[in-house]
Amino acid sequence: MVRVSRQIKRLLSEEGLITDEQWASACEGEDDPVQNLLSAGILDEGSVMEVLGRASGIPPVNLQSTEADTPAVEAVGEDVCRAKTVLPISKNGDVLTVAVADPFDVILFDDLKRLTGCHVRPVLALRGSLTHAIDSLFDNGARQVADMMDEVHADDVHVEEARDDIGDVENAAAGGDEAPAVKLANLILLRALREKASDIHIEPGEKRVVVRLRIDGRMKEIMSPPKGILPALTSRLKILAKLDIAERYVPQDGKFQIRFEGRTIDFRLSVLPVVGGEKSVIRILDTGSMALKLDGMGYEEKALGDIMEAIRSPYGMLLVTGPTGSGKSTTLYSCVQAVASPEVNVTTVEDPVEYRMDGINQVPVNPKRGMTFAGALRSILRQDPDIVLVGEIRDKETADIAVKAALTGHLVLSTLHTNDAASTITRLLDMGIDPFMVSSSVLCICAQRLGRRLCKHCRVPVEDPPIEQLLALGFEEGDFGPETTLFTANQEGCRQCSRGYRGRFAIVETMPMSARLRRMVVDGRSSDDLKEQALEEGMLTLRRVGLLNALRGVTSVEEVLRVTLSH
């Protein structure tokens, strides 16, 4: 974990900005706890800067409008900047102005004075802002890629397309021609990790290769290497994932790990033959970026209460629904962490095991060896579990076993692919599960989406928003007051963000199963009827939850409309 002075925690607590529990939760990750609290929305950047600046007597600095001068950068050097997370601003004689995140770290100031031979004048910035500014200042990755693109030409790397000679392919991948591909693969992975991407797409085009990252749910093109390097680059990734580099006409899946900033990060590689070559998609599973505390994930108070009530039940089923990449797994892991203890036996069955958790028995699905969800679930139920996490209910057999487990004294947590909470009931019935079994087993259904957070540094207030149009979108009359301000994204963005957005937050719709809803399920009522009843009982829809976050300035109305349906 990043070392932080005790004074910071004390000051934030005395100001009433955090609780001891929130600080302890933020310290469990490997990142800066202050940055974790900012990302979770518990702390506000302006308040943190004000409190720390006032207590330390060190002025804050806006890194967006500050440029580091060359003498200062040369005095400190890239290695020191990255190792100690400091940004040199200016050098005037023997006085060096340096931006720091911890104004009470006297050891840091002594180290800088010893290393540079200058008197250090600190100014204050947040660690996340410093990291982005340092990356921008020393963008070696971009320079290396540009130099490599000048060196590598289409004729430099060649793999025969229609040969059965495995030796030729291996030589192309493991011989001298691979050196540029190895460097390029490392640079792509490093760039993705620094930009906190969730996926890497390497796509063959007619004349070039396109490398794109999925950042906060949206795709961003980062480079375009020459087409000739693609076979060796793909072979390099296959070697990392222990796949067959000789097979180029069949889809393959694998995984590998690397160490980055002191933590182990898992990568899942999927290679698919397409026109023009093979497309590679790499899913990044970074446990260090996960917030596994339910109360720190920014849920609405009602949603958090519904989820906590469900997972505290001795038996029954909690279902989380949504499309791929909507944060379902993170929510399930958070639920497990909330109830896991030495007195409880928790077992999971997943495809694949995305995040390792201490004290939890995690079973990976392996259909090639006969280990299916249903088969694993049967065995798990003979292992005397209290809580069972099923990665996904995909078929009737798995659904049937999960429902029966929920009715026989087990708490079952699982996911389904449906659009909203009410339609989950219909999905289970369509699978062939008896309505009485569904109504008796399900405790609560959560529908989830991920929305992008507005960058607080550059978000733009909306002047004179059209109230009538906003009411038509789902706002209510009582939402608007004299102090209400809606914000939109600055499309140009800033140093801290990507086109006006930075990070994501969960939009969650919860439907606890009341006695009235259970009766309606048994009576075979439609999903529309179930949703209408749930709304009468106080359910907040995905659209409504999104709009509430727009009112708080967390996101924009445009983003809410992008990720939620109107009904």
Side-chain angles (χ1 to χ4, degrees):
M1 188 191 75
V2 174
R3 181 170 58 89
V4 175
S5 300
R6 293 181 181 178
Q7 290 96 316
I8 292 180
K9 188 257 183 181
R10 178 178 58 80
L11 289 168
L12 296 176
S13 297
E14 289 177 354
E15 291 289 331
L17 299 177
I18 60 167
T19 64
D20 291 340
E21 292 77 14
Q22 289 171 335
W23 181 263
S25 175
C27 288
E28 291 183 0
E30 296 181 352
D31 295 331
D32 178 5
V34 175
Q35 197 63 43
N36 289 338
L37 292 167
L38 289 166
S39 300
I42 296 171
L43 285 178
D44 175 76
E45 295 182 359
S47 300
V48 173
M49 296 287 276
E50 180 184 353
V51 170
L52 299 185
R54 184 173 65 244
S56 65
I58 295 177
V61 63
N62 183 358
L63 295 182
Q64 300 174 58
S65 56
T66 302
E67 291 189 9
D69 64 24
T70 301
V73 175
E74 291 176 347
V76 180
E78 179 180 358
D79 291 342
V80 174
C81 289
R82 291 196 182 279
K84 300 185 178 298
T85 317
V86 297
L87 183 71
I89 302 296
S90 63
K91 184 174 183 292
N92 186 5
D94 65 346
V95 177
L96 180 69
T97 301
V98 181
V100 300
D102 189 342
F104 307 106
D105 192 347
V106 293
I107 297 177
L108 170 63
F109 301 151
D110 288 342
D111 287 345
L112 291 174
K113 182 177 180 179
R114 175 176 52 82
L115 291 168
T116 63
C118 298
H119 296 289
V120 176
R121 174 181 174 268
V123 291
L124 185 61
L126 294 172
R127 195 176 300 273
S129 302
L130 282 171
T131 301
H132 281 82
I134 293 168
D135 286 340
S136 299
L137 180 62
F138 303 105
D139 193 4
N140 287 342
R143 289 200 299 270
Q144 285 180 292
V145 171
D147 294 341
M148 189 185 309
M149 294 307 100
D150 291 337
E151 296 174 5
V152 179
H153 303 286
D155 296 331
D156 290 342
V157 182
H158 183 63
V159 177
E160 294 292 336
E161 290 295 327
R163 291 282 302 274
D164 293 328
D165 187 349
I166 295 176
D168 284 352
V169 181
E170 290 177 340
N171 288 337
D177 284 339
E178 193 201 27
V182 172
K183 293 178 183 177
L184 184 57
N186 292 341
L187 287 171
I188 291 171
L189 295 176
L190 183 62
R191 177 79 177 268
L193 290 171
R194 285 182 174 168
E195 297 204 21
K196 299 188 181 299
S198 61
D199 300 88
I200 305 168
H201 291 245
I202 303 173
E203 305 166 333
E206 184 176 351
K207 297 181 179 179
R208 65 187 185 118
V209 178
V210 176
V211 181
R212 299 194 291 170
L213 304 181
R214 186 176 294 279
I215 303 171
D216 294 337
R218 302 304 290 267
M219 301 291 282
K220 173 186 176 182
E221 183 175 337
I222 61 167
M223 67 179 73
S224 181
K227 182 70 177 288
I229 202 172
L230 178 64
L233 176 60
T234 304
S235 294
R236 172 60 183 169
L237 295 173
K238 287 181 179 179
I239 289 170
L240 289 173
K242 297 180 173 59
L243 300 180
D244 183 0
I245 64 173
E247 180 57 74
R248 288 177 281 121
Y249 303 103
V250 174
Q252 297 189 68
D253 297 289
K255 59 184 178 181
F256 59 95
Q257 293 181 328
I258 69 169
R259 296 283 295 174
F260 176 71
E261 294 182 345
R263 63 182 187 271
T264 300
I265 298 174
D266 294 314
F267 295 82
R268 286 185 0 222
L269 171 66
S270 173
V271 181
L272 179 69
V274 298
V275 175
E278 291 177 288
K279 175 181 177 179
S280 300
V281 176
I282 306 168
R283 168 64 59 89
I284 302 172
L285 305 172
D286 184 1
T287 56
S289 65
M290 286 188 68
L292 288 177
K293 292 293 184 180
L294 279 172
D295 57 0
M297 296 180 70
Y299 293 156
E300 293 294 321
E301 186 175 344
K302 180 186 183 305
L304 180 61
D306 291 340
I307 294 172
M308 293 301 297
E309 182 177 356
I311 63 177
R312 286 171 179 159
S313 301
Y315 56 86
M317 182 183 293
L318 170 69
L319 294 172
V320 183
T321 77
T324 301
S326 60
K328 300 188 298 297
S329 295
T330 301
T331 296
L332 285 185
Y333 282 124
S334 300
C335 291
V336 168
Q337 291 287 66
V339 295
S341 71
E343 292 80 28
V344 176
N345 178 17
V346 182
T347 307
T348 76
V349 51
E350 307 168 58
D351 182 23
V353 174
E354 295 189 5
Y355 301 101
R356 303 287 179 86
M357 294 182 288
D358 292 335
I360 308 298
N361 306 293
Q362 296 176 268
V363 179
V365 168
N366 191 338
K368 294 180 180 178
R369 297 186 177 181
M371 179 70 84
T372 62
F373 272 111
L377 192 50
R378 284 195 191 90
S379 298
I380 286 172
L381 294 178
R382 291 192 287 268
Q383 293 275 313
D384 185 34
D386 297 298
I387 300 171
V388 179
L389 186 156
V390 184
E392 183 182 345
I393 294 178
R394 298 178 178 175
D395 51 48
K396 180 183 184 302
E397 187 178 13
T398 306
D400 189 52
I401 299 171
V403 166
K404 289 178 179 176
L407 292 173
T408 53
H410 306 88
L411 178 62
V412 178
L413 313 175
S414 190
T415 70
L416 273 173
H417 286 285
T418 59
N419 290 327
D420 59 12
S423 60
T424 304
I425 299 294
T426 306
R427 174 79 175 119
L428 288 172
L429 298 178
D430 288 343
M431 284 183 170
I433 308 300
D434 185 82
F436 175 77
M437 301 279 280
V438 174
S439 68
S440 302
S441 61
V442 177
L443 297 169
C444 182
I445 302 170
C446 307
Q448 183 164 315
R449 300 290 187 277
L450 290 180
R452 293 179 294 169
R453 290 181 181 272
L454 284 170
C455 174
K456 293 185 178 180
H457 294 281
C458 66
R459 63 183 182 180
V460 180
V462 179
E463 297 183 2
D464 299 323
I467 301 299
E468 291 185 2
Q469 294 181 25
L470 294 176
L471 293 175
L473 295 176
F475 284 100
E476 298 177 0
E477 291 282 358
D479 290 338
F480 302 102
E483 302 298 323
T484 302
T485 303
L486 295 174
F487 293 88
T488 188
N490 178 357
Q491 293 301 314
E492 295 182 1
C494 66
R495 268 183 165 181
Q496 312 297 324
C497 67
S498 175
R499 294 187 178 180
Y501 293 97
R502 179 185 178 188
R504 290 193 286 179
F505 70 101
I507 301 174
V508 180
E509 165 186 297
T510 54
M511 189 178 85
M513 293 297 289
S514 65
R516 175 61 181 157
L517 285 171
R518 295 183 192 278
R519 171 52 56 188
M520 293 175 70
V521 172
V522 174
D523 292 342
R525 302 287 287 275
S526 69
S527 59
D528 289 339
D529 292 338
L530 295 174
K531 184 170 185 176
E532 185 177 344
Q533 176 63 30
L535 289 171
E536 290 182 9
E537 296 176 3
M539 180 180 78
L540 298 176
T541 64
L542 290 166
R543 171 62 62 86
R544 181 61 182 162
V545 173
L547 294 178
L548 289 174
N549 279 280
L551 288 169
R552 300 186 190 111
V554 175
T555 190
S556 65
V557 175
E558 295 87 353
E559 179 67 7
V560 174
L561 300 180
R562 185 182 71 85
V563 298
T564 65
L565 296 173
S566 59
H567 57 278

